[in-house]
mmCIF file of all heavy atoms in Angstrom:
data_model
loop_
_atom_site.group_PDB
_atom_site.id
_atom_site.type_symbol
_atom_site.label_atom_id
_atom_site.label_comp_id
_atom_site.label_asym_id
_atom_site.label_seq_id
_atom_site.Cartn_x
_atom_site.Cartn_y
_atom_site.Cartn_z
ATOM 1 N N LEU P 1365 0.580 -16.869 28.550
ATOM 2 C CA LEU P 1365 1.675 -16.040 29.056
ATOM 3 C C LEU P 1365 2.065 -16.403 30.550
ATOM 4 O O LEU P 1365 3.194 -16.589 30.855
ATOM 5 C CB LEU P 1365 1.315 -14.504 29.096
ATOM 6 C CG LEU P 1365 1.011 -13.929 27.672
ATOM 7 C CD1 LEU P 1365 0.559 -12.469 27.831
ATOM 8 C CD2 LEU P 1365 2.315 -13.934 26.913
ATOM 9 N N GLU P 1366 1.140 -16.695 31.251
ATOM 10 C CA GLU P 1366 1.287 -17.149 32.635
ATOM 11 C C GLU P 1366 2.015 -18.454 32.592
ATOM 12 O O GLU P 1366 3.019 -18.574 33.470
ATOM 13 C CB GLU P 1366 -0.009 -17.188 33.528
ATOM 14 C CG GLU P 1366 -0.623 -15.896 33.747
ATOM 15 C CD GLU P 1366 -1.987 -16.023 34.264
ATOM 16 O OE1 GLU P 1366 -2.511 -17.247 34.476
ATOM 17 O OE2 GLU P 1366 -2.655 -14.947 34.557
ATOM 18 N N GLY P 1367 1.795 -19.295 31.790
ATOM 19 C CA GLY P 1367 2.371 -20.698 31.535
ATOM 20 C C GLY P 1367 4.003 -20.460 31.363
ATOM 21 O O GLY P 1367 4.679 -21.293 31.744
ATOM 22 N N TYR P 1368 4.277 -19.457 30.679
ATOM 23 C CA TYR P 1368 5.672 -19.215 30.306
ATOM 24 C C TYR P 1368 6.363 -18.291 31.359
ATOM 25 O O TYR P 1368 7.473 -17.832 31.239
ATOM 26 C CB TYR P 1368 5.771 -18.430 28.966
ATOM 27 C CG TYR P 1368 5.575 -19.356 27.777
ATOM 28 C CD1 TYR P 1368 4.383 -19.317 26.963
ATOM 29 C CD2 TYR P 1368 6.566 -20.226 27.469
ATOM 30 C CE1 TYR P 1368 4.218 -19.974 25.921
ATOM 31 C CE2 TYR P 1368 6.438 -21.053 26.242
ATOM 32 C CZ TYR P 1368 5.161 -21.000 25.500
ATOM 33 O OH TYR P 1368 5.052 -21.834 24.442
ATOM 34 N N GLY P 1369 5.575 -17.944 32.462
ATOM 35 C CA GLY P 1369 6.100 -17.180 33.522
ATOM 36 C C GLY P 1369 6.271 -15.654 33.146
ATOM 37 O O GLY P 1369 6.988 -14.903 33.764
ATOM 38 N N ILE P 1370 5.509 -15.230 32.182
ATOM 39 C CA ILE P 1370 5.451 -13.811 31.710
ATOM 40 C C ILE P 1370 4.355 -13.106 32.608
ATOM 41 O O ILE P 1370 3.265 -13.576 32.672
ATOM 42 C CB ILE P 1370 5.178 -13.688 30.258
ATOM 43 C CG1 ILE P 1370 6.218 -14.387 29.448
ATOM 44 C CG2 ILE P 1370 4.946 -12.363 29.822
ATOM 45 C CD1 ILE P 1370 6.004 -14.578 27.937
ATOM 46 N N THR P 1371 4.736 -11.979 33.055
ATOM 47 C CA THR P 1371 3.735 -11.154 33.845
ATOM 48 C C THR P 1371 2.662 -10.591 32.932
ATOM 49 O O THR P 1371 3.127 -9.940 32.097
ATOM 50 C CB THR P 1371 4.543 -10.144 34.708
ATOM 51 O OG1 THR P 1371 5.389 -10.798 35.602
ATOM 52 C CG2 THR P 1371 3.522 -9.360 35.575
ATOM 53 N N TYR P 1372 1.468 -10.864 33.218
ATOM 54 C CA TYR P 1372 0.488 -10.374 32.642
ATOM 55 C C TYR P 1372 -0.337 -9.195 33.534
ATOM 56 O O TYR P 1372 -0.641 -9.688 34.622
ATOM 57 C CB TYR P 1372 -0.582 -11.336 32.125
ATOM 58 C CG TYR P 1372 -1.885 -10.653 31.486
ATOM 59 C CD1 TYR P 1372 -1.682 -10.324 30.105
ATOM 60 C CD2 TYR P 1372 -2.891 -10.506 32.108
ATOM 61 C CE1 TYR P 1372 -2.875 -9.701 29.568
ATOM 62 C CE2 TYR P 1372 -4.063 -9.913 31.578
ATOM 63 C CZ TYR P 1372 -4.019 -9.417 30.314
ATOM 64 O OH TYR P 1372 -5.094 -8.859 29.660
ATOM 65 N N VAL P 1373 -0.371 -8.059 33.093
ATOM 66 C CA VAL P 1373 -0.941 -6.987 33.975
ATOM 67 C C VAL P 1373 -2.492 -6.765 33.463
ATOM 68 O O VAL P 1373 -2.688 -6.377 32.283
ATOM 69 C CB VAL P 1373 -0.227 -5.753 33.907
ATOM 70 C CG1 VAL P 1373 -0.893 -4.659 34.758
ATOM 71 C CG2 VAL P 1373 1.261 -5.955 34.458
ATOM 72 N N GLU P 1374 -3.397 -7.010 34.385
ATOM 73 C CA GLU P 1374 -4.720 -6.857 33.987
ATOM 74 C C GLU P 1374 -5.195 -5.502 34.572
ATOM 75 O O GLU P 1374 -5.135 -5.325 35.885
ATOM 76 C CB GLU P 1374 -5.680 -7.943 34.717
ATOM 77 C CG GLU P 1374 -7.190 -7.766 34.520
ATOM 78 C CD GLU P 1374 -7.437 -7.459 33.053
ATOM 79 O OE1 GLU P 1374 -7.455 -8.343 32.199
ATOM 80 O OE2 GLU P 1374 -7.795 -6.312 32.728
ATOM 81 N N PRO P 1375 -5.489 -4.495 33.716
ATOM 82 C CA PRO P 1375 -5.870 -3.104 34.350
ATOM 83 C C PRO P 1375 -7.207 -2.841 34.804
ATOM 84 O O PRO P 1375 -7.566 -1.793 35.344
ATOM 85 C CB PRO P 1375 -5.484 -2.205 33.087
ATOM 86 C CG PRO P 1375 -5.803 -3.208 31.991
ATOM 87 C CD PRO P 1375 -5.426 -4.565 32.345
ATOM 88 N N LEU P 1376 -8.159 -3.943 34.630
ATOM 89 C CA LEU P 1376 -9.498 -3.648 34.961
ATOM 90 C C LEU P 1376 -9.770 -3.035 36.332
ATOM 91 O O LEU P 1376 -10.422 -2.145 36.483
ATOM 92 C CB LEU P 1376 -10.381 -4.972 34.721
ATOM 93 C CG LEU P 1376 -11.743 -4.851 35.026
ATOM 94 C CD1 LEU P 1376 -12.435 -3.868 33.889
ATOM 95 C CD2 LEU P 1376 -12.508 -6.193 34.870
ATOM 96 N N GLU P 1377 -9.360 -3.779 37.350
ATOM 97 C CA GLU P 1377 -9.553 -3.348 38.763
ATOM 98 C C GLU P 1377 -8.872 -1.898 38.965
ATOM 99 O O GLU P 1377 -9.608 -1.071 39.609
ATOM 100 C CB GLU P 1377 -9.088 -4.331 39.636
ATOM 101 C CG GLU P 1377 -9.983 -5.530 39.785
ATOM 102 C CD GLU P 1377 -11.377 -5.360 39.872
ATOM 103 O OE1 GLU P 1377 -11.856 -4.438 40.680
ATOM 104 O OE2 GLU P 1377 -12.283 -5.994 39.102
ATOM 105 N N ALA P 1378 -7.767 -1.727 38.433
ATOM 106 C CA ALA P 1378 -7.122 -0.358 38.568
ATOM 107 C C ALA P 1378 -8.066 0.767 37.935
ATOM 108 O O ALA P 1378 -8.127 1.829 38.543
ATOM 109 C CB ALA P 1378 -5.836 -0.373 37.986
ATOM 110 N N LEU P 1379 -8.552 0.402 36.825
ATOM 111 C CA LEU P 1379 -9.398 1.410 36.061
ATOM 112 C C LEU P 1379 -10.806 1.581 36.933
ATOM 113 O O LEU P 1379 -11.237 2.779 37.021
ATOM 114 C CB LEU P 1379 -9.636 0.948 34.683
ATOM 115 C CG LEU P 1379 -8.482 0.886 33.647
ATOM 116 C CD1 LEU P 1379 -8.852 0.164 32.383
ATOM 117 C CD2 LEU P 1379 -8.154 2.350 33.439
ATOM 118 N N ARG P 1380 -11.312 0.512 37.452
ATOM 119 C CA ARG P 1380 -12.447 0.600 38.328
ATOM 120 C C ARG P 1380 -12.221 1.568 39.566
ATOM 121 O O ARG P 1380 -13.248 2.150 39.986
ATOM 122 C CB ARG P 1380 -13.000 -0.781 38.652
ATOM 123 C CG ARG P 1380 -13.631 -1.554 37.540
ATOM 124 C CD ARG P 1380 -14.245 -2.754 37.933
ATOM 125 N NE ARG P 1380 -15.000 -3.385 36.771
ATOM 126 C CZ ARG P 1380 -15.387 -4.570 36.713
ATOM 127 N NH1 ARG P 1380 -14.900 -5.552 37.688
ATOM 128 N NH2 ARG P 1380 -16.024 -5.048 35.681
ATOM 129 N N LYS P 1381 -11.200 1.498 40.002
ATOM 130 C CA LYS P 1381 -10.812 2.215 41.306
ATOM 131 C C LYS P 1381 -11.000 3.743 41.068
ATOM 132 O O LYS P 1381 -10.909 4.521 42.041
ATOM 133 C CB LYS P 1381 -9.539 1.782 41.942
ATOM 134 C CG LYS P 1381 -9.600 0.407 42.493
ATOM 135 C CD LYS P 1381 -8.219 0.118 43.083
ATOM 136 C CE LYS P 1381 -8.169 -1.328 43.501
ATOM 137 N NZ LYS P 1381 -6.865 -1.709 43.990
ATOM 138 N N VAL P 1382 -10.837 4.146 39.782
ATOM 139 C CA VAL P 1382 -10.694 5.622 39.573
ATOM 140 C C VAL P 1382 -12.077 6.299 39.962
ATOM 141 O O VAL P 1382 -12.093 7.430 40.367
ATOM 142 C CB VAL P 1382 -10.463 5.907 38.060
ATOM 143 C CG1 VAL P 1382 -10.587 7.233 37.545
ATOM 144 C CG2 VAL P 1382 -8.958 5.326 37.742
ATOM 145 N N GLY P 1383 -13.112 5.698 39.771
ATOM 146 C CA GLY P 1383 -14.478 6.249 40.139
ATOM 147 C C GLY P 1383 -15.225 6.233 38.809
ATOM 148 O O GLY P 1383 -15.631 5.338 38.211
ATOM 149 N N ASP P 1384 -15.591 7.418 38.313
ATOM 150 C CA ASP P 1384 -16.254 7.614 37.116
ATOM 151 C C ASP P 1384 -15.538 7.110 35.787
ATOM 152 O O ASP P 1384 -14.531 7.967 35.417
ATOM 153 C CB ASP P 1384 -16.681 9.058 36.951
ATOM 154 C CG ASP P 1384 -17.637 9.383 35.831
ATOM 155 O OD1 ASP P 1384 -18.059 8.429 35.165
ATOM 156 O OD2 ASP P 1384 -18.103 10.499 35.728
ATOM 157 N N PRO P 1385 -15.958 6.058 35.171
ATOM 158 C CA PRO P 1385 -15.271 5.515 34.057
ATOM 159 C C PRO P 1385 -15.338 6.495 32.871
ATOM 160 O O PRO P 1385 -14.563 6.427 32.007
ATOM 161 C CB PRO P 1385 -15.899 4.238 33.832
ATOM 162 C CG PRO P 1385 -17.244 4.250 34.515
ATOM 163 C CD PRO P 1385 -17.020 5.311 35.619
ATOM 164 N N ARG P 1386 -16.289 7.466 32.851
ATOM 165 C CA ARG P 1386 -16.315 8.402 31.736
ATOM 166 C C ARG P 1386 -15.195 9.268 31.601
ATOM 167 O O ARG P 1386 -14.843 9.749 30.618
ATOM 168 C CB ARG P 1386 -17.639 9.240 31.786
ATOM 169 C CG ARG P 1386 -18.902 8.315 31.550
ATOM 170 C CD ARG P 1386 -20.120 9.193 31.775
ATOM 171 N NE ARG P 1386 -20.161 9.564 33.233
ATOM 172 C CZ ARG P 1386 -21.096 10.284 33.825
ATOM 173 N NH1 ARG P 1386 -22.140 10.731 33.198
ATOM 174 N NH2 ARG P 1386 -20.962 10.565 34.953
ATOM 175 N N ALA P 1387 -14.489 9.442 32.834
ATOM 176 C CA ALA P 1387 -13.159 10.239 32.786
ATOM 177 C C ALA P 1387 -11.941 9.336 32.110
ATOM 178 O O ALA P 1387 -10.904 10.007 31.883
ATOM 179 C CB ALA P 1387 -12.831 10.468 34.180
ATOM 180 N N LEU P 1388 -12.280 8.043 31.859
ATOM 181 C CA LEU P 1388 -11.214 7.330 31.304
ATOM 182 C C LEU P 1388 -11.193 7.173 29.815
ATOM 183 O O LEU P 1388 -10.323 6.485 29.247
ATOM 184 C CB LEU P 1388 -11.197 5.917 32.070
ATOM 185 C CG LEU P 1388 -11.036 5.990 33.503
ATOM 186 C CD1 LEU P 1388 -11.304 4.582 34.005
ATOM 187 C CD2 LEU P 1388 -9.609 6.466 33.902
ATOM 188 N N TYR P 1389 -12.420 7.485 29.154
ATOM 189 C CA TYR P 1389 -12.553 7.283 27.760
ATOM 190 C C TYR P 1389 -13.030 8.574 27.102
ATOM 191 O O TYR P 1389 -13.662 9.312 27.648
ATOM 192 C CB TYR P 1389 -13.545 6.082 27.515
ATOM 193 C CG TYR P 1389 -13.043 4.808 28.056
ATOM 194 C CD1 TYR P 1389 -13.308 4.460 29.347
ATOM 195 C CD2 TYR P 1389 -12.444 3.928 27.251
ATOM 196 C CE1 TYR P 1389 -12.748 3.230 29.855
ATOM 197 C CE2 TYR P 1389 -11.901 2.785 27.736
ATOM 198 C CZ TYR P 1389 -12.063 2.364 28.979
ATOM 199 O OH TYR P 1389 -11.604 1.178 29.489
ATOM 200 N N ILE P 1390 -12.626 8.792 25.795
ATOM 201 C CA ILE P 1390 -13.050 10.053 25.177
ATOM 202 C C ILE P 1390 -14.452 9.895 24.818
ATOM 203 O O ILE P 1390 -14.953 8.828 24.449
ATOM 204 C CB ILE P 1390 -12.252 10.046 23.843
ATOM 205 C CG1 ILE P 1390 -10.724 10.254 24.162
ATOM 206 C CG2 ILE P 1390 -12.702 11.179 22.864
ATOM 207 C CD1 ILE P 1390 -9.793 10.049 23.011
ATOM 208 N N ALA P 1391 -15.274 10.912 25.106
ATOM 209 C CA ALA P 1391 -16.672 10.892 24.917
ATOM 210 C C ALA P 1391 -17.075 10.513 23.403
ATOM 211 O O ALA P 1391 -16.421 11.136 22.441
ATOM 212 C CB ALA P 1391 -17.288 12.265 25.176
ATOM 213 N N GLY P 1392 -17.982 9.505 23.209
ATOM 214 C CA GLY P 1392 -18.440 9.173 21.854
ATOM 215 C C GLY P 1392 -17.346 8.389 21.207
ATOM 216 O O GLY P 1392 -17.394 8.084 19.977
ATOM 217 N N ASP P 1393 -16.254 7.841 21.903
ATOM 218 C CA ASP P 1393 -15.185 7.076 21.339
ATOM 219 C C ASP P 1393 -14.832 6.016 22.233
ATOM 220 O O ASP P 1393 -15.182 5.962 23.410
ATOM 221 C CB ASP P 1393 -13.995 7.997 21.137
ATOM 222 C CG ASP P 1393 -13.049 7.511 20.163
ATOM 223 O OD1 ASP P 1393 -12.961 6.387 19.894
ATOM 224 O OD2 ASP P 1393 -12.185 8.325 19.755
ATOM 225 N N GLU P 1394 -14.184 5.044 21.779
ATOM 226 C CA GLU P 1394 -13.757 3.988 22.607
ATOM 227 C C GLU P 1394 -12.215 4.022 23.150
ATOM 228 O O GLU P 1394 -11.766 3.304 23.863
ATOM 229 C CB GLU P 1394 -13.829 2.578 22.040
ATOM 230 C CG GLU P 1394 -15.405 2.257 21.642
ATOM 231 C CD GLU P 1394 -15.566 0.869 21.142
ATOM 232 O OE1 GLU P 1394 -14.621 0.095 21.040
ATOM 233 O OE2 GLU P 1394 -16.662 0.632 20.558
ATOM 234 N N HIS P 1395 -11.648 5.224 22.565
ATOM 235 C CA HIS P 1395 -10.152 5.401 23.047
ATOM 236 C C HIS P 1395 -10.018 5.805 24.370
ATOM 237 O O HIS P 1395 -10.755 6.633 24.841
ATOM 238 C CB HIS P 1395 -9.577 6.254 22.055
ATOM 239 C CG HIS P 1395 -9.517 5.545 20.693
ATOM 240 N ND1 HIS P 1395 -10.497 5.668 19.675
ATOM 241 C CD2 HIS P 1395 -8.413 4.799 20.153
ATOM 242 C CE1 HIS P 1395 -10.073 5.132 18.675
ATOM 243 N NE2 HIS P 1395 -8.981 4.567 18.869
ATOM 244 N N PRO P 1396 -8.922 5.336 25.177
ATOM 245 C CA PRO P 1396 -8.730 5.808 26.518
ATOM 246 C C PRO P 1396 -8.223 7.272 26.446
ATOM 247 O O PRO P 1396 -7.505 7.645 25.504
ATOM 248 C CB PRO P 1396 -7.672 4.841 26.964
ATOM 249 C CG PRO P 1396 -6.938 4.381 25.818
ATOM 250 C CD PRO P 1396 -8.150 4.352 24.717
ATOM 251 N N THR P 1397 -8.401 7.894 27.580
ATOM 252 C CA THR P 1397 -7.850 9.328 27.873
ATOM 253 C C THR P 1397 -6.460 9.214 28.402
ATOM 254 O O THR P 1397 -5.966 8.173 28.751
ATOM 255 C CB THR P 1397 -8.774 10.039 28.799
ATOM 256 O OG1 THR P 1397 -8.664 9.363 30.034
ATOM 257 C CG2 THR P 1397 -10.186 10.279 28.296
ATOM 258 N N ALA P 1398 -5.819 10.322 28.470
ATOM 259 C CA ALA P 1398 -4.535 10.426 29.038
ATOM 260 C C ALA P 1398 -4.525 9.855 30.439
ATOM 261 O O ALA P 1398 -3.549 9.193 30.990
ATOM 262 C CB ALA P 1398 -3.980 11.803 29.060
ATOM 263 N N LYS P 1399 -5.688 10.071 31.236
ATOM 264 C CA LYS P 1399 -5.809 9.748 32.710
ATOM 265 C C LYS P 1399 -5.845 8.066 32.623
ATOM 266 O O LYS P 1399 -5.234 7.552 33.416
ATOM 267 C CB LYS P 1399 -7.173 10.342 33.237
ATOM 268 C CG LYS P 1399 -7.319 9.868 34.650
ATOM 269 C CD LYS P 1399 -8.482 10.605 35.284
ATOM 270 C CE LYS P 1399 -8.692 10.249 36.733
ATOM 271 N NZ LYS P 1399 -9.689 11.000 37.365
ATOM 272 N N ALA P 1400 -6.594 7.487 31.688
ATOM 273 C CA ALA P 1400 -6.551 6.005 31.709
ATOM 274 C C ALA P 1400 -5.256 5.529 31.383
ATOM 275 O O ALA P 1400 -4.862 4.489 32.006
ATOM 276 C CB ALA P 1400 -7.560 5.653 30.608
ATOM 277 N N ASN P 1401 -4.463 6.160 30.486
ATOM 278 C CA ASN P 1401 -3.163 5.697 30.193
ATOM 279 C C ASN P 1401 -2.313 5.784 31.414
ATOM 280 O O ASN P 1401 -1.379 4.919 31.636
ATOM 281 C CB ASN P 1401 -2.588 6.498 29.020
ATOM 282 C CG ASN P 1401 -3.170 6.101 27.695
ATOM 283 O OD1 ASN P 1401 -3.444 4.897 27.529
ATOM 284 N ND2 ASN P 1401 -3.471 6.945 26.838
ATOM 285 N N ARG P 1402 -2.394 6.801 32.207
ATOM 286 C CA ARG P 1402 -1.650 6.981 33.475
ATOM 287 C C ARG P 1402 -1.923 5.881 34.490
ATOM 288 O O ARG P 1402 -0.968 5.324 35.137
ATOM 289 C CB ARG P 1402 -1.886 8.345 34.036
ATOM 290 C CG ARG P 1402 -1.020 9.415 33.509
ATOM 291 C CD ARG P 1402 -1.014 10.770 34.351
ATOM 292 N NE ARG P 1402 -2.274 11.226 34.466
ATOM 293 C CZ ARG P 1402 -2.986 11.974 33.678
ATOM 294 N NH1 ARG P 1402 -2.397 12.344 32.471
ATOM 295 N NH2 ARG P 1402 -4.150 12.549 33.900
ATOM 296 N N VAL P 1403 -3.175 5.560 34.566
ATOM 297 C CA VAL P 1403 -3.709 4.475 35.482
ATOM 298 C C VAL P 1403 -3.035 3.160 35.000
ATOM 299 O O VAL P 1403 -2.503 2.362 35.902
ATOM 300 C CB VAL P 1403 -5.241 4.348 35.560
ATOM 301 C CG1 VAL P 1403 -5.668 3.177 36.312
ATOM 302 C CG2 VAL P 1403 -5.848 5.691 36.151
ATOM 303 N N VAL P 1404 -3.101 2.825 33.778
ATOM 304 C CA VAL P 1404 -2.585 1.600 33.195
ATOM 305 C C VAL P 1404 -1.172 1.509 33.445
ATOM 306 O O VAL P 1404 -0.493 0.523 33.750
ATOM 307 C CB VAL P 1404 -3.014 1.337 31.845
ATOM 308 C CG1 VAL P 1404 -2.300 0.165 31.222
ATOM 309 C CG2 VAL P 1404 -4.624 1.060 31.796
ATOM 310 N N ALA P 1405 -0.372 2.667 33.144
ATOM 311 C CA ALA P 1405 1.046 2.768 33.206
ATOM 312 C C ALA P 1405 1.402 2.523 34.701
ATOM 313 O O ALA P 1405 2.432 1.843 35.008
ATOM 314 C CB ALA P 1405 1.561 4.050 32.725
#
């Protein structure tokens, strides 16, 4: 993607800045919460 000049957004560091990652994923599940979706957006 970068080779084609397409912006790739890596959300890892933005998610890490939130603090407790348990607030970002549904308990017992791998799906992101609304808060995680806001951070990525």
Side-chain angles (χ1 to χ4, degrees):
L1365 293 174
E1366 290 170 1
Y1368 283 106
I1370 298 170
T1371 302
Y1372 175 81
V1373 178
E1374 176 53 69
L1376 181 61
E1377 290 308 317
L1379 291 167
R1380 284 182 173 163
K1381 288 179 184 177
V1382 169
D1384 185 359
R1386 292 175 295 180
L1388 301 172
Y1389 295 86
I1390 298 170
D1393 196 342
E1394 294 183 13
H1395 290 89
T1397 61
K1399 183 174 186 172
N1401 286 322
R1402 279 192 300 276
V1403 170
V1404 172

